[in-house]
């Protein structure tokens, strides 16, 4: 994320005071060190395309795909914080739908660079003939659109995946349509299976309408897991974590997500149904999960402080596995985007206690597939975008 | 470098065929892996500011300075390849002097972000009071200039050096003035002490005129060293390397540097004195080194293929050390920017054979100073820009 949460109280003070996603260094720069220390782990990188010209950005992702031997994913974000726009000389974000128009064109440009600039077989490394690459198979990308203009070849040799695995998280109609067209993995969030299931079905239906298969998109839903050896141990952890939640920190986050300044409300004020453009339905999610329950601002803050916009599963390994299975079966999601209450404890607990239980139930892999991130997620032997993906249309035959 | 050498023959074909600085991945992304494997090495990164908006770029450098514990330098390049400009939607580079105007303003913006956004002591990490940073000590940077507009706080906590060690290599009058104002280290190049010495004196004089000390700038001149156990072994290596030089590859490089299409000349055509704006005096350097010698295009290509724009020292460790000492004494340079004929052999040979000889002569350190790159180069205990540097003027007192 580029930018800072500055809606709460009209300033970034609460975010700065409680270190709410600030300071935030550039995540791309960590990857080469992590790649050296791991063999199979994939790296999903959130980059807002509004702040990255496509020509150097395409090179960045190709470089990382080389350095990780094909383990890079890109979470495509159009950017939603006015504070980030102000860092780039704009007075505010462009309107929501225009951001998606820009994003559509941006994707065309990076597909051309990744898929169309260097043909398969362009690089020959022929020592006898003293030829590294055949110039006739390396092409300038020409693009002259409404937002981007380019007349240049891609600077990186094709990487194992060429186009990184594409992630997306748009929740609006326009965002879902974008995901159905471009995304290979989709992040969603919601507090109950009832709010998630129709969202998943809608994404798969849109994918099919776009000439793709329903299963071409892997859907992950947000969840926090607090697990102990038994239920009592898990509940004790949860109670302890809750004591550390700071309402001001949570509401700084909520205010940034929704565009609503929560400093103007009392903690016991009820949350009414509100839908904002910036909000991507964060509050809607809570108010819709159980129409009979009235959440207070303080309760939402308490929940967000541990679970973000998703559910919090608290229990023994068996109880957590039951809950995860029930969610998968009720919603048709493919997996979970695990949030953490504590870092790295939440992930350590999950690996140590929940993964073995899921493996016993044949719900979790016992080893990684070989190959690139795309092959681990989809099909062995197919490191590149599939033929029915729009990016494949930019290849030269 | 962002862009490709496409002046030779009016296309990038020669560069692509011989892999002349293309493909070229993003060097920033390698640093975190190299930082894990080394303790003292500094990382000087060449980034063209024309293609990096200052707000995310400042975060990138701060991130790397954190990840390396203060071992990052930035070689400030304004960008000189039209091919790179075309990747960014421009039809050509802006004119030379305008690029330096943009660069001056860019420096103001990044100084404000690195030096002025987070005061010393802003980060308190006070667990009792549950305060990470004092909001009153974290400031938005406001800049409303001719080329850049920004209204945002820096996103990274201050790093060990805050501003990375600043390198620069401008050879024109405007470039030298920029270096004299901003650079802490300067890269120069030329084929003889006679061409180098006045350049060094000029940079130091300009530094003093800018309120700095002559010794505040460390000057490195380009050189290639081909060393063997004895003179005969070194000469044999040199002869072997020369056989691998491809004139087309060298001339693709020369054409890119100078803006002159050398595909239009024969290899035995003489090189006459030419000065081009883009050229940064590359050819001038050769023609001026010995006014009585007439270089042919082929001879220049042969030299450039091994030594670039600098001298090639061939000999025993003693002969090479003699030559390096003579250059330092005759030119007042502080050190050398070593080019390579072969990678990594050229560096391995230098470390194994020349460094011990220079250490015996007390011309080379026997251990690294502790601390950041700036402390290793200048003064222990002073990781930040000195008070007389223009960047220091953006600090809040």
């Amino acid at each position: 994320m580029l930018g800072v949460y500055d809606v709460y109280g009209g300033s970034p003070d609460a975010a700065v005071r409680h270190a709410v996603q600030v300071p935030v260094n550039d995540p791309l720069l960590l990857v080469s060190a992590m790649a050296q220390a791991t063999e199979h782990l994939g790296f999903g990188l959130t980059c807002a395309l509004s702040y990255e010209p496509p020509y150097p950005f395409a090179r960045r992702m190709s470089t990382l795909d080389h350095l990780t031997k094909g383990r890079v994913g890109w979470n495509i974000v159009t950017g939603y914080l006015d504070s980030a726009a102000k860092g780039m000389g704009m007075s505010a974000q462009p309107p929501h739908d225009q951001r998606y128009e820009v994003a559509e064109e941006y994707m065309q440009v990076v597909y051309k660079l990744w898929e169309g600039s260097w043909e398969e077989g362009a690089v020959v490394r022929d020592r006898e003939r003293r030829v590294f690459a055949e110039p006739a198979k390396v092409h300038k990308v020409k693009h002259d659109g409404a937002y981007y203009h380019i007349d240049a070849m891609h600077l990186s040799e094709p990487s194992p995946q060429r186009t990184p695995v594409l992630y997306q998280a748009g929740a609006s109609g326009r965002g879902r349509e974008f995901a159905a067209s471009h995304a290979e993995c989709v992040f969603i969030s919601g507090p109950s299976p009832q709010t998630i299931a129709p969202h998943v079905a809608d994404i798969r239906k849109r994918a099919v309408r776009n000439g793709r298969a329903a299963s071409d998109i892997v859907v992950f839903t947000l969840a926090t897991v607090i697990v102990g050896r038994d239920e009592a141990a898990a509940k004790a952890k949860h109670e302890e974590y809750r004591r550390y939640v700071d309402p001001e920190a949570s509401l700084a986050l909520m205010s940034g997500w929704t565009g609503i300044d929560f400093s103007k409300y009392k903690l016991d004020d009820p949350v009414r149904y509100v839908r904002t453009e910036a909000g991507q339905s964060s509050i809607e999610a809570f108010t819709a999960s159980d129409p009979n329950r009235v959440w207070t601002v303080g309760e939402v803050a308490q929940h967000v402080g541990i679970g973000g916009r998703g559910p919090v599963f608290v229990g023994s390994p068996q109880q957590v596995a039951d809950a995860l299975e029930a969610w998968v079966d009720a919603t048709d999601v493919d997996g979970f985007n695990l949030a953490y209450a504590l870092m790295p404890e939440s992930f350590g607990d999950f690996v140590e206690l929940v993964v073995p239980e899921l493996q016993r139930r044949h719900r979790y892999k016992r080893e990684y597939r070989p190959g690139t991130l795309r092959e681990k997620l989809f099909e062995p032997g197919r490191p590149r975008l599939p033929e029915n993906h729009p990016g494949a249309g930019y290849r030269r035959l």
Side-chain angles (χ1 to χ4, degrees), chain A residues 37-64:
Chain A
T38 58
E39 187 185 346
H40 289 294
L41 212 62
F43 303 98
L45 298 158
T46 298
C47 301
L49 53 86
S50 336
Y51 315 119
E52 300 276 343
Y55 177 61
F57 174 72
R59 182 171 81 142
R60 286 200 177 98
M61 296 306 277
S62 294
T63 301
L64 288 179

Side-chain angles (χ1 to χ4, degrees), chain A residues 183-200:
Chain A
E184 301 174 87
C185 302
V186 170
F187 293 128
I188 61 173
S189 62
S192 72
Q194 291 76 26
T195 58
I196 294 294
H199 188 163
V200 178

Side-chain angles (χ1 to χ4, degrees), chain A residues 9 14 22 29 37 50 59 77 103 118 138 141 170 232 237 245 280 308 319 394:
Chain A
V22 66
L29 298 163
S50 336
R59 182 171 81 142
V77 172
W118 295 61
V138 182
V141 162
K237 271 186 203 176
V245 172
Q280 301 188 346
Q319 288 172 314
Y394 296 92

Side-chain angles (χ1 to χ4, degrees), chain A residues 25-41:
Chain A
N25 288 333
D26 188 330
L28 269 70
L29 298 163
L30 273 168
V31 172
S32 68
M34 294 194 295
Q36 293 303 307
T38 58
E39 187 185 346
H40 289 294
L41 212 62

Side-chain angles (χ1 to χ4, degrees), chain A residues 2-241:
Chain A
L2 200 68
V4 61
Y5 291 111
D6 62 358
V7 174
Y8 184 89
S11 90
D13 287 3
V16 167
R17 189 177 299 117
H18 301 293
V20 177
Q21 296 188 19
V22 66
V24 56
N25 288 333
D26 188 330
L28 269 70
L29 298 163
L30 273 168
V31 172
S32 68
M34 294 194 295
Q36 293 303 307
T38 58
E39 187 185 346
H40 289 294
L41 212 62
F43 303 98
L45 298 158
T46 298
C47 301
L49 53 86
S50 336
Y51 315 119
E52 300 276 343
Y55 177 61
F57 174 72
R59 182 171 81 142
R60 286 200 177 98
M61 296 306 277
S62 294
T63 301
L64 288 179
D65 205 47
H66 279 293
L67 293 175
T68 60
K69 300 194 167 74
R71 290 187 281 146
V72 163
W74 170 32
N75 180 23
I76 309 163
V77 172
T78 63
Y80 69 102
L81 291 176
D82 284 345
S83 62
K86 288 179 186 170
M88 302 294 289
M90 298 176 270
S91 56
Q93 289 288 340
H96 180 268
D97 280 9
Q98 190 194 325
R99 295 207 301 271
Y100 275 106
E101 254 178 52
V102 173
E104 283 289 348
E105 193 180 322
Y106 193 99
M107 296 309 294
Q108 288 175 27
V109 176
V110 293
Y111 290 146
K112 287 178 183 180
L113 288 162
W114 286 325
E115 302 288 333
S117 184
W118 295 61
E119 287 182 37
E120 288 297 306
V123 178
V124 292
R125 288 186 168 79
D126 186 331
R127 282 166 186 259
E128 289 302 308
R129 288 171 51 229
R130 306 182 69 167
V131 171
F132 170 75
E134 301 288 1
K137 294 187 174 178
V138 182
H139 308 277
K140 273 193 189 181
V141 162
K142 289 179 203 284
H143 181 92
D144 196 15
Y147 301 101
Y148 298 104
H149 305 269
I150 189 170
D151 179 18
M153 57 176 279
H154 188 40
L155 292 171
S156 297
E157 183 182 343
S159 67
Q161 302 185 117
R162 285 190 180 244
T163 298
V165 175
L166 299 173
Y167 290 72
Q168 219 265 339
S172 67
R174 191 76 188 73
R176 291 180 191 194
E177 199 54 33
F178 183 91
S181 171
H182 299 282
E184 301 174 87
C185 302
V186 170
F187 293 128
I188 61 173
S189 62
S192 72
Q194 291 76 26
T195 58
I196 294 294
H199 188 163
V200 178
D202 182 55
I203 288 168
R204 301 211 192 278
K205 200 172 65 192
R206 288 173 192 258
V208 171
R209 259 203 322 257
N210 276 281
R212 305 171 68 195
S215 62
D216 282 349
I217 298 187
V218 173
V219 182
F220 300 98
T221 194
L222 188 72
T224 305
V225 167
I226 298 177
V227 63
R229 302 257 159 227
D230 55 35
E231 186 179 345
K235 285 192 167 166
K237 271 186 203 176
H238 188 209
E239 272 316 300
E240 192 200 349
Y241 297 170

